[in-house]
């Protein structure tokens, strides 16, 4: 291929992309009939567009608002894996329940070709009835296994749109702590905001409350107990009070559902006392919230030496306690400190109560769910670990290739074993088949607004692409095409079986072989170029890839697709990796950036191509020319030529050297 082909493709993409961005950002309109269907109400309704804050539509019936409708493209900016807008209309009633959802627009490859319209509609409709204020386990539809990325984007778009719209319209009030926002604040600021609460009992007041004490209390306006309290989970409170390091240590010690409470005091009375050293219970303290009473224990206590705010008053004691889940930090509660004194007849006591309510400024407007990609990565951490292990093994193989190729039997068995894992484990097991559609989606995302979240949704595919991107720089396209591609592995394994059964291989003449390369590069350019005119048509053309039929859908597809895959595999029995050689647009797409490869790991001798052409004849994909040069665009990095070069029983150069040594 011409060396300037990448520049041509980039220029073509930029030129064609210019009118697309504006054309795709047209808004959706909602009719009264659609609104009534989405809300599930009878009778005529009116739809009123609301552009203030979060855009959407208010649905009005008989003069009153009965629901809200929002567009995932307008509100959440939902972009599918194809790189194009994915728009879902989401309807809410006044109780923040999803009453209906309708997929308006998409150009997703799996949704277009892998699932029926009925399956798509059923999946989107499955969100009906979801209560955003009290979501129950199992109510949110699971991601479709055959459309992981696309259905994941749809789900994320529906949920984010619904939560944002409900919050903006006052249908949903958040209760979670704001554990992310930070603003610098001083002691006076925190007191003024209510982030730090305080109360005080003077010596005179304490003496009146504790009459007859054996040890009389002094009189005066000095502090019997000056008490402060603060929830430190919001960084604006905790980080300003404690400083970054102490705040991090305190928050890091909290368990799931816990919250951090700071109690500070000065004066004659201690809020901690000393008995807790023996009993493990802070008998002077009680946290009260409604009917719940919790007494702090030593296992939930941490001493704090000082505050990070120099302007804060001098403190005698600073205690950090981990509030249990039984105490809701977003609801008001109070801290009670009990002071006891002995008298001649019976003990007397006084309780100093400090009410505390977290200011609304430290509670986000709506509960924040984990980003979809983080949720998926947590759920698929085992699959991700398996992929990492496979990639680690391949890395060892490639770095140790000089040692491996000197052992032909180890190389052969190891390669067949790895290809089996790629086909059965990576392909059929984990659905780790890359596609030219993903290359097209990546190009579109670069031109219309790149978003990591879209590509992070599928951990298996993301890890593979990250490894392939590095592999293109280190080794070329053969890292994926020759080792990790499940369909490529299937072709090589079936051809190996055919050769064991004695099927005669067809040697394609060099002149014809090189001309047939044009097909796959033409297909790649056609798919990429057509995607700027019509993504749907580009996805139809991308069906030239048999990957979806053979790997993603495991041959469960209509007979024309099965016939196409069967013809490719039959041709591959006689011409090893027939599809990889001449038809694969993904291989062509990977070959272009592979020109940036900075290392040359495959060795050649000066005699290669001049005195010996054995490697050329042994190369199963025809990647070595008559001059002995390896064409990196076609090489699948199988290492066969390296095995031949190191084998003294095959390589004519080594044989001649051995004879010369024996003669000497």
């Amino acid at each position: 291929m011409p060396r300037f082909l990448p520049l041509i493709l980039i220029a073509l993409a930029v030129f064609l992309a210019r009118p697309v961005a504006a054309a795709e950002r047209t808004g959706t309109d909602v009719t009264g009939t659609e609104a009534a269907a989405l809300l599930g109400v009878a009778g005529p309704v009116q739809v009123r567009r609301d552009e203030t804050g979060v855009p959407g539509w208010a649905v009005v019936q008989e003069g009153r608002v009965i629901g809200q409708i929002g567009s995932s493209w307008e509100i959440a900016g939902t972009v599918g894996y194809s790189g194009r807008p994915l728009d879902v209309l989401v309807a809410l009633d006044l109780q923040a329940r999803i009453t209906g959802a309708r997929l308006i627009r998409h150009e997703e490859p799996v949704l277009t070709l892998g699932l029926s319209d009925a399956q798509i509609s059923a999946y989107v409709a499955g969100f009906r009835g979801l209560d955003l204020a009290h979501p129950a386990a199992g109510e949110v539809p699971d991601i479709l296994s055959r459309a992981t990325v696309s259905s994941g984007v749809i789900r994320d778009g529906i949920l984010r749109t619904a939560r944002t719209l409900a919050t903006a319209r006052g249908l949903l009030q958040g209760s979670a702590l704001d554990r992310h926002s930070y603003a610098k604040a001083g002691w006076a600021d925190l007191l003024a905001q209510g982030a730090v609460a305080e109360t005080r009992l003077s010596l005179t007041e304490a003496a009146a409350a504790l009459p007859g004490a054996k040890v009389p209390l002094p009189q005066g306006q000095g502090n019997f107990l000056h008490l402060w309290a603060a929830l430190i989970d919001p960084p604006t409170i905790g980080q300003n009070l404690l400083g970054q390091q102490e705040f991090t240590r305190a928050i890091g010690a909290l368990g799931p559902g816990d919250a951090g409470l700071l109690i500070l005091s000065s004066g004659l009375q201690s809020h901690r006392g000393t008995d807790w050293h023996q009993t493990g219970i802070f008998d002077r303290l009680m946290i009260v919230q409604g009917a719940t009473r919790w007494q702090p224990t030593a296992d939930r206590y941490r001493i704090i030496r000082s505050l990070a705010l120099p302007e804060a008053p001098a403190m005698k004691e600073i205690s950090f306690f981990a509030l249990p889940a039984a105490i809701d930090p977003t609801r008001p509660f109070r801290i009670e400190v009990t002071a006891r004194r002995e008298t001649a007849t019976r003990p007397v006591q006084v309780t100093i109560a400090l009410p505390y309510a977290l200011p609304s400024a430290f509670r986000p407007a709506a509960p924040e769910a984990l980003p979809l990609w983080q949720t998926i990565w947590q759920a698929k951490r085992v699959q991700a670990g398996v992929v990492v292990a496979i990639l680690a093994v391949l890395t060892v193989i490639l770095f140790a290739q000089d040692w491996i190729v000197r052992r032909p039997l180890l190389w052969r068995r190891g390669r067949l074993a790895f290809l089996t894992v790629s086909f059965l484990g990576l392909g059929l097991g984990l659905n780790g088949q890359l596609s030219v559609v993903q290359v097209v989606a990546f190009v579109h995302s670069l031109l219309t607004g790149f978003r990591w979240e879209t590509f992070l949704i599928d951990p298996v595919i993301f890890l593979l692409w990250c490894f392939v991107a590095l592999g293109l720089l280190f080794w070329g396209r053969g890292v994926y095409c020759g080792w990790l591609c499940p369909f490529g592995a299937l072709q090589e394994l079936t051809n190996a079986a055919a050769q064991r059964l004695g099927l005669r291989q067809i040697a394609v003449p060099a002149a014809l072989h090189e001309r047939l390369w044009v097909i796959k590069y033409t297909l790649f350019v056609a798919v990429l170029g057509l995607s700027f005119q019509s993504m749907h048509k580009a996805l139809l053309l991308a069906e030239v890839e048999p990957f979806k039929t053979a790997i993603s859908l495991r041959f469960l597809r209509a007979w024309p697709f099965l016939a196409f895959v069967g013809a490719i595999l039959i041709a591959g029995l006689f011409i090893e990796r027939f599809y990889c050689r001449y038809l694969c647009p993904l291989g062509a797409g990977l070959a272009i950036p592979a020109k940036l490869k900075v290392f040359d790991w495959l060795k050649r001798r000066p005699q290669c191509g001049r005195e010996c052409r054995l490697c050329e004849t042994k190369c199963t994909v025809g990647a070595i020319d008559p001059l002995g040069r390896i064409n990196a665009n076609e090489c699948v990095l199988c290492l066969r030529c390296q095995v031949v070069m190191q084998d003294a029983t095959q390589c004519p150069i080594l044989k001649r050297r051995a004879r010369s040594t024996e003669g000497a």
Side-chain angles (χ1 to χ4, degrees):
M1 293 296 296
R3 298 182 66 86
F4 50 81
L5 178 58
L7 296 177
I8 296 176
L9 292 176
I10 294 173
L12 174 65
V14 173
F15 175 77
L16 292 175
R18 288 182 300 173
V20 172
E24 289 185 336
R25 283 164 172 74
T26 56
T28 302
D29 199 10
V30 178
T31 65
T33 303
E34 289 175 321
L38 285 169
L39 283 169
V41 298
V45 298
Q46 292 78 44
V47 179
R48 186 178 65 216
R49 178 69 175 173
D50 189 352
E51 295 283 359
T52 58
V54 176
W57 296 267
V59 183
V60 181
Q61 188 175 55
E62 297 179 356
R64 64 184 184 90
V65 175
I66 62 171
Q68 300 285 339
I69 296 177
S71 159
S72 67
W73 169 239
E74 279 193 320
I75 295 175
T78 309
V79 178
Y81 200 75
S82 64
R84 299 298 182 93
L86 199 158
D87 196 7
V88 181
L89 286 180
V90 183
L92 302 173
D93 63 16
L94 300 184
Q95 287 72 47
R97 287 191 299 262
I98 297 178
T99 60
R102 180 184 173 193
L103 183 61
I104 299 298
R105 179 184 183 186
H106 77 85
E107 295 185 45
E108 293 297 274
V110 175
L111 298 185
T112 301
L113 299 165
L115 298 173
S116 67
D117 291 339
Q119 289 173 304
I120 300 171
S121 299
Y123 178 72
V124 174
F127 289 85
R128 182 183 296 115
L130 178 63
D131 188 342
L132 299 178
H134 306 94
E139 282 190 356
V140 180
D142 292 330
I143 292 172
L144 300 175
S145 59
R146 288 184 293 158
T148 302
V149 176
S150 299
S151 60
V153 171
I154 289 175
R155 187 174 79 163
D156 183 53
I158 290 175
L159 295 178
R160 284 199 292 143
T161 299
R163 291 190 182 107
T164 304
L165 184 64
T167 302
R169 300 297 186 262
L171 308 179
L172 187 66
Q173 298 299 323
S175 61
L177 295 174
D178 181 358
R179 303 177 189 270
H180 306 286
S181 303
Y182 171 77
K184 189 172 180 59
W187 178 259
D189 299 324
L190 295 174
L191 281 174
Q193 294 171 6
V196 176
E198 73 172 319
T199 189
R200 177 180 174 272
L201 187 69
S202 70
L203 290 170
T204 299
E205 292 169 335
L210 298 168
K214 288 183 177 180
V215 180
L217 292 174
Q219 298 289 322
Q221 294 304 310
N223 292 327
F224 176 75
L225 178 65
H226 198 161
L227 190 66
W228 296 268
L231 281 169
I232 69 161
D233 296 72
T236 298
I237 304 175
Q239 188 172 327
N240 280 303
L241 286 173
L242 301 180
Q244 177 64 65
Q245 292 185 351
E246 190 64 47
F247 172 69
T248 302
R249 282 194 291 267
I251 292 298
L254 296 176
D258 292 351
L261 175 65
L262 202 64
I263 298 179
L264 316 93
S265 67
S266 65
L268 184 65
Q269 175 71 17
S270 166
H271 71 261
R272 290 196 298 244
T274 57
D275 291 347
W276 67 272
H277 290 287
Q278 286 74 41
T279 64
I281 299 174
F282 291 86
D283 59 348
R284 298 186 179 188
L285 278 173
M286 186 70 72
I287 311 300
V288 182
Q289 187 176 65
T292 303
R293 300 178 66 84
W294 177 73
Q295 197 158 43
T297 52
D299 60 322
R300 288 181 166 268
Y301 163 73
R302 176 187 180 91
I303 189 170
I304 303 295
R305 300 295 180 186
S306 62
L307 296 180
L309 297 175
E311 71 274 22
M315 303 294 176
K316 181 180 177 182
E317 294 176 334
I318 306 175
S319 305
F320 170 78
F321 295 102
L323 292 178
I327 302 295
D328 183 353
T330 65
R331 293 174 50 220
F333 60 91
R334 70 178 181 273
I335 300 98
E336 294 182 351
V337 179
T338 301
R340 296 182 179 85
R341 292 292 187 273
E342 295 293 333
T343 68
T345 56
R346 59 183 179 83
V348 292
Q349 67 180 39
V350 61
T351 298
I352 301 96
L354 173 59
Y356 187 87
L358 184 69
S360 59
F362 299 103
R363 286 177 284 176
E368 294 292 332
L370 277 176
L372 176 64
W373 70 269
Q374 291 185 20
T375 304
I376 293 176
W377 277 73
Q378 289 179 1
K380 292 191 173 184
R381 54 185 178 273
V382 174
Q383 293 92 322
V386 171
V387 175
V388 170
I390 292 174
L391 298 180
V393 171
L394 178 56
T395 301
V396 172
I397 291 173
L398 295 178
F399 275 111
Q401 68 179 53
D402 291 342
W403 182 83
I404 293 173
V405 297
R406 291 187 176 91
R407 295 159 177 81
L409 186 60
L410 173 64
W411 164 79
R412 183 61 178 167
R413 291 179 177 176
R415 177 162 176 78
L416 291 177
F418 194 94
L419 291 176
T420 301
V421 171
S422 292
F423 172 59
L424 296 178
L426 196 58
L428 299 185
L430 299 175
N431 201 19
Q433 176 70 66
L434 303 187
S435 167
V436 70
V437 172
Q438 294 153 356
V439 177
V440 171
F442 181 73
V443 172
H444 278 268
S445 70
L446 291 179
L447 296 172
T448 60
F450 183 81
R451 296 178 57 171
W452 277 108
E453 294 83 356
T454 302
F455 296 91
L456 283 164
I457 286 177
D458 192 325
V460 173
I461 298 299
F462 181 80
L463 289 171
L464 283 175
W465 270 118
C466 288
F467 187 83
V468 170
L470 288 175
L472 290 175
L473 292 177
F474 295 159
W475 294 283
R477 65 174 279 247
V479 170
Y480 179 75
C481 296
W483 293 88
L484 295 171
C485 177
F487 190 77
L490 173 61
Q491 289 182 94
E492 188 163 333
L493 291 171
T494 54
N495 181 268
Q499 292 189 47
R500 289 291 297 271
L501 295 174
L503 266 67
R504 185 175 180 179
Q505 299 296 292
I506 299 174
V508 182
L512 177 61
H513 173 65
E514 292 184 0
R515 283 161 178 77
L516 290 176
W517 290 345
V518 174
I519 299 175
K520 62 184 177 186
Y521 289 97
T522 302
L523 286 172
F524 173 71
V525 173
V527 172
L528 179 62
L530 189 59
S531 68
F532 291 105
Q533 191 272 327
S534 169
M535 181 63 75
H536 178 72
K537 293 178 181 178
L539 297 174
L540 290 174
L541 180 59
E543 278 297 302
V544 71
E545 289 184 330
F547 307 153
K548 186 181 299 178
T549 301
I551 306 299
S552 301
L553 300 180
R554 299 175 179 84
F555 295 97
L556 299 175
R557 214 166 180 199
W559 72 264
F561 298 101
L562 297 178
F564 177 61
V565 175
I568 290 173
L569 293 177
I570 291 173
L573 298 177
F574 302 94
I575 302 174
E576 185 171 335
R577 286 183 175 259
F578 169 80
Y579 178 79
C580 301
R581 291 196 197 190
Y582 309 124
L583 300 177
C584 182
L586 174 62
L590 293 179
I592 295 172
K595 290 181 176 295
L596 300 174
K597 181 168 66 76
V598 295
F599 299 106
D600 194 2
W601 301 85
L602 302 181
K603 296 178 174 61
R604 297 276 80 195
R605 292 195 177 97
Q607 298 89 343
C608 293
R610 295 189 301 171
E611 302 176 24
C612 174
R613 297 178 62 182
L614 183 60
C615 289
E616 178 191 348
T617 60
K618 291 284 187 178
C619 181
T620 57
V621 293
I624 302 178
D625 65 17
L627 298 178
R629 298 171 300 190
I630 298 175
N631 186 341
N633 291 347
E634 304 303 319
C635 176
V636 295
L637 207 65
C638 67
L639 304 180
R640 191 186 304 270
C641 60
Q642 304 301 291
V643 173
V644 173
M645 285 182 59
Q646 300 297 334
D647 190 348
T649 65
Q650 293 189 72
C651 180
I653 308 302
L654 295 182
K655 289 181 180 179
R656 188 168 60 195
R657 288 179 182 175
R659 287 195 298 268
S660 300
T661 303
E662 291 173 0

